[in-house]
Structures are given as C-alpha cells and as structure tokens.
Amino acid sequence: MNLHIVALFKVNESYMMEAVELFQKLVRETRKEEGCLQYELIEENEQKGTFFLIELWESVAHHNNHNGTDHLFEFRKNASKILTESAQVYKGFKIY
C-alpha cells in the first residue's frame, strides 16, 4: 500500500537561499531512491518561508529505508539551523 506524506517546514527568512539549496539537494537525491514515487517541494503561496514536501512512497518499508539515508541525515543536520520550529509531518494511506 502506498504511503502519502506531507511535511511542513517553516524557514527563517534570512536563510531562504540556503534553505532552497538544502531542499533541492534533498529532493534530487531522494527521487533516485527505490520506492520513491513522488517527492515534490512546494513553497506556500501566502506565507514566505513556508515549504511543503509532498511525498509518495511505494510502501512504508521504502520510506523507512529513506529515513536511514545519508542525504536525509545531512539535510536534518543542516536544516535544524535554519528552521524556526520543528517540521510537522503527516503520514497516511489513501482512502478514496
């Protein structure tokens, strides 16, 4: 069963350029992973510095493998310096 994820990030506006570079690297590397069906970076239209990652994984196991990757570890380490709060992550399965 496919796993859908929406992750919400709020970035300190003084780090916008650095944030976009970090997200782009994460997206580029994650899209290469087995089981990654979709991995999109969206910038919120009305709230500058608010970003969403829209993820679709073939299975929970594929997502679990993603959680152990070097590029995600590196992203988390660097992102902690530029986020105004912890990321909010929502996971679920399509019901209709």
Side-chain angles (χ1 to χ4, degrees), residues 11-12 15-25 41 51 75 82-83:
V11 173
N12 182 322
Y15 293 103
M16 290 293 287
M17 294 293 287
E18 187 177 345
V20 170
E21 289 176 15
L22 284 173
F23 279 118
Q24 286 175 337
K25 182 177 180 184
L41 176 63
F51 294 89
F75 172 81
I82 62 171
L83 297 177

Side-chain angles (χ1 to χ4, degrees), residues 32-43:
K32 297 174 188 176
E33 291 180 47
E34 183 179 339
C36 178
L37 303 176
Q38 178 183 4
Y39 207 83
E40 305 291 336
L41 176 63
I42 310 295
E43 184 175 9

Side-chain angles (χ1 to χ4, degrees), residues 1-4 57-60 91-96:
M1 181 175 286
N2 292 347
L3 177 64
H4 296 257
W57 293 92
E58 193 173 322
S59 68
V60 172
K91 301 176 185 180
F93 300 105
K94 185 174 180 178
I95 58 171
Y96 182 75

Side-chain angles (χ1 to χ4, degrees), residues 4-90:
H4 296 257
I5 300 174
V6 176
L8 169 67
F9 300 86
K10 295 192 178 187
V11 173
N12 182 322
E13 288 187 33
S14 60
Y15 293 103
M16 290 293 287
M17 294 293 287
E18 187 177 345
V20 170
E21 289 176 15
L22 284 173
F23 279 118
Q24 286 175 337
K25 182 177 180 184
L26 176 65
V27 169
R28 208 171 25 251
E29 294 302 314
T30 300
R31 286 179 177 168
K32 297 174 188 176
E33 291 180 47
E34 183 179 339
C36 178
L37 303 176
Q38 178 183 4
Y39 207 83
E40 305 291 336
L41 176 63
I42 310 295
E43 184 175 9
E44 212 285 330
N45 222 19
E46 298 177 1
Q47 296 179 29
K48 190 165 181 67
T50 300
F51 294 89
F52 299 89
L53 281 174
I54 308 297
E55 306 177 36
L56 179 59
W57 293 92
E58 193 173 322
S59 68
V60 172
H62 286 100
H63 181 256
N64 289 342
N65 290 339
H66 167 67
N67 282 333
T69 60
D70 291 340
H71 54 270
L72 184 58
F73 174 78
E74 195 67 26
F75 172 81
R76 287 178 174 157
K77 182 177 79 172
N78 292 315
S80 66
K81 304 169 193 168
I82 62 171
L83 297 177
T84 60
E85 59 187 64
S86 296
Q88 297 176 36
V89 180
Y90 304 91

